[in-house]
Amino acid sequence: MSDKIFLNDILFDAEEAKVSVFDRGYLFSDGIYELIPYFNGKPFLFDEHYKRLERSLKMIDIENPFSRDEWADKINNLLKTCIYKNFSLYIQISRGVPSDLEDGIYREHAASKKYIPSVLMFYSENKGFPKKKPNEEKAIIMEDKRWLQCDVKSISLLYNAYAKTLAHRENAYETILIRDGNVTEGCSSNVFIVKENVIKTCPKSNLILPGISRTYIIDNLIKSTEYELIEKEFSLEELESADEIFVTNSTQCIVSINKLNDNLIGTGTCGKITEEIFSQFIKSIN
Ligand code: PLP
C-alpha cells in the first residue's frame, strides 16, 4: 500500500495531493504545524502536542478547524493506511485560500478576507527506532537571526532550514543558535549541556520553541535522577566547555553532540549522563 496524505478531508496517494497557489500558507507561510511521534504504533505525548497546536493557532489567530473528537477521527482514519510502527505524524494548518477571489485581489499581506483553512496531515517512517544508544553527531554554531516569536510552531522556517542546510554541508546534524552571546536552541531541537553533573538548558520564553521532549525529559526523567537541572541562559563559552551536550526533539528523542565545529566535546563520545537519560527515555516509550 502506498503512503496516504490527508488534505482537507480527502485521502490522497502521497504524490497526488495538491494545494491552491492562493493558499496563504504558500504565499506568506501563514500557518502552523505540529509533529507527533508514534512508537510501536502508539502516540507519544499526544495531549501535549495537541495543546501546543491549539496554542500556536491561537497565537496567530486561526480558528481550530476541528473539535478534538473530529481530529481524533480524522487521524485514526489516516493512520489506518499507515504500515509503520515507528513514525511521525505531521500536521499543518494554514489560514488557507480566500473564500472569494472575484475581486481579482489574489495576494494581499493583510488577512482581510474570509479564508477556508487548509489542513494537511501525513506520516513518515522513523527508521532509526528502536535504538539502543543515542546517535552521536556534530553540530555547528550560528547567530540566531530568527524573529522574536520562536515559541509559535510556525511553518515559516526559512532561517531554520537555511542554517540546517549549512550544517548538512559540514556533515553536521544540527546548528546551535546563539543570541546575544547565549544559546537559545537548535534549528529543530532544544539544547542541554552537562558540566560537573549539573544539567543546564535555556528557560522557556519567546526565544525558543517549548519542546515537548524538552519538558518531558526535565519533568519525568531528570527530576528523578540525582542530577541538578537548571533552566537558565548559558553562554557560548559554557557550551564550548561543556562535559556533554545533547539535543532533543520528537523524531530523534535525544542526540549526543560530540563535536562542535571541529572541537571534540568531553571525550568525543556520548557522555554518561546523556546515555543514562537516553536509556530512561527508551524505557518510557516501550
Ligand atoms: N526547537 C525547534 C526550533 C524545533 O523545530 C523543534 C522540533 O521540531 C524543537 C525545538 C523540539 O521540539 P519537540 O521536542 O516538541 O519536537
Side-chain angles (χ1 to χ4, degrees):
M1 194 193 316
S2 77
D3 291 343
K4 297 285 182 204
I5 288 195
F6 173 103
L7 180 63
N8 299 330
D9 270 326
I10 299 175
L11 294 189
F12 292 92
D13 286 337
E15 315 77 37
E16 301 301 325
K18 303 276 185 295
V19 290
S20 163
V21 294
F22 300 117
D23 193 300
R24 288 183 63 90
Y26 182 69
L27 292 176
F28 295 108
S29 296
D30 189 353
I32 58 98
Y33 75 106
E34 197 48 63
L35 186 137
I36 307 174
Y38 281 66
F39 299 112
N40 244 327
K42 285 187 291 224
F44 186 61
L45 305 173
F46 185 93
D47 290 348
E48 287 79 354
H49 283 279
Y50 186 73
K51 265 187 217 137
R52 187 172 64 183
L53 179 139
E54 284 190 309
R55 181 172 172 267
S56 298
L57 283 172
K58 210 167 181 181
M59 284 172 92
I60 63 163
D61 195 25
I62 295 181
E63 210 176 304
N64 191 340
F66 307 132
S67 69
R68 165 90 198 221
D69 286 348
E70 286 170 334
W71 275 110
D73 281 352
K74 290 169 202 294
I75 291 171
N76 284 341
N77 250 342
L78 172 66
L79 295 185
K80 277 183 200 153
T81 68
C82 176
I83 56 170
Y84 312 117
K85 281 190 161 172
N86 300 304
F87 59 93
S88 304
L89 175 68
Y90 178 84
I91 303 176
Q92 175 174 312
I93 304 160
S94 72
R95 199 176 307 274
V97 183
S99 55
D100 180 1
L101 286 168
E102 300 258 302
D103 58 6
I105 300 172
Y106 299 127
R107 179 184 178 274
E108 57 179 341
H109 285 66
S112 61
K113 293 182 170 172
K114 213 172 163 335
Y115 298 89
I116 305 157
S118 295
V119 180
L120 165 69
M121 294 196 276
F122 55 81
Y123 46 80
S124 323
E125 187 179 17
N126 198 347
K127 288 198 173 108
F129 280 85
K131 276 189 192 145
K132 293 215 166 63
K133 292 186 85 186
N135 290 356
E136 300 183 3
E137 300 283 359
K138 172 181 171 178
I140 62 167
I141 291 165
M142 277 175 68
E143 196 184 330
D144 192 342
K145 292 188 180 173
R146 299 172 301 164
W147 73 331
L148 292 172
Q149 207 68 66
C150 301
D151 50 341
V152 181
K153 204 161 166 64
S154 158
I155 57 171
S156 175
L157 289 169
L158 187 56
Y159 192 74
N160 304 54
Y162 166 68
K164 196 123 180 171
T165 303
L166 296 190
H168 176 74
R169 287 191 192 147
E170 305 223 11
N171 291 321
Y173 166 73
E174 184 57 297
T175 300
I176 295 179
L177 300 170
I178 312 292
R179 199 188 285 272
D180 299 330
N182 288 328
V183 173
T184 50
E185 62 181 338
C187 292
S188 62
S189 62
N190 293 110
V191 180
F192 291 74
I193 56 168
V194 181
K195 185 77 182 175
E196 288 158 6
N197 291 350
V198 176
I199 306 169
K200 248 190 203 178
T201 194
C202 175
K204 279 189 194 172
S205 75
N206 58 308
L207 300 182
I208 66 165
L209 183 79
I212 304 298
S213 326
R214 173 194 179 281
T215 300
Y216 181 77
I217 287 165
I218 292 174
D219 291 348
N220 296 279
L221 305 184
I222 298 178
K223 284 194 179 155
S224 62
T225 66
E226 79 245 43
Y227 306 116
E228 188 185 353
L229 180 274
I230 304 178
E231 287 181 72
K232 190 173 183 301
E233 282 84 18
F234 60 94
S235 65
L236 172 59
E237 289 72 32
E238 286 179 85
L239 178 77
E240 287 170 333
S241 62
D243 298 333
E244 300 177 30
I245 301 174
F246 62 91
V247 298
T248 64
N249 63 28
S250 296
T251 33
Q252 296 298 323
C253 304
I254 294 173
V255 174
S256 165
I257 300 299
N258 299 344
K259 212 174 177 194
L260 203 54
N261 293 333
D262 288 323
N263 303 315
L264 294 184
I265 295 299
T267 58
T269 56
C270 178
K272 175 176 101 23
I273 295 179
T274 306
E275 211 168 313
E276 223 175 278
I277 297 168
F278 177 84
S279 66
Q280 287 195 37
F281 200 114
I282 293 298
K283 266 189 221 146
S284 62
I285 60 178
N286 281 327

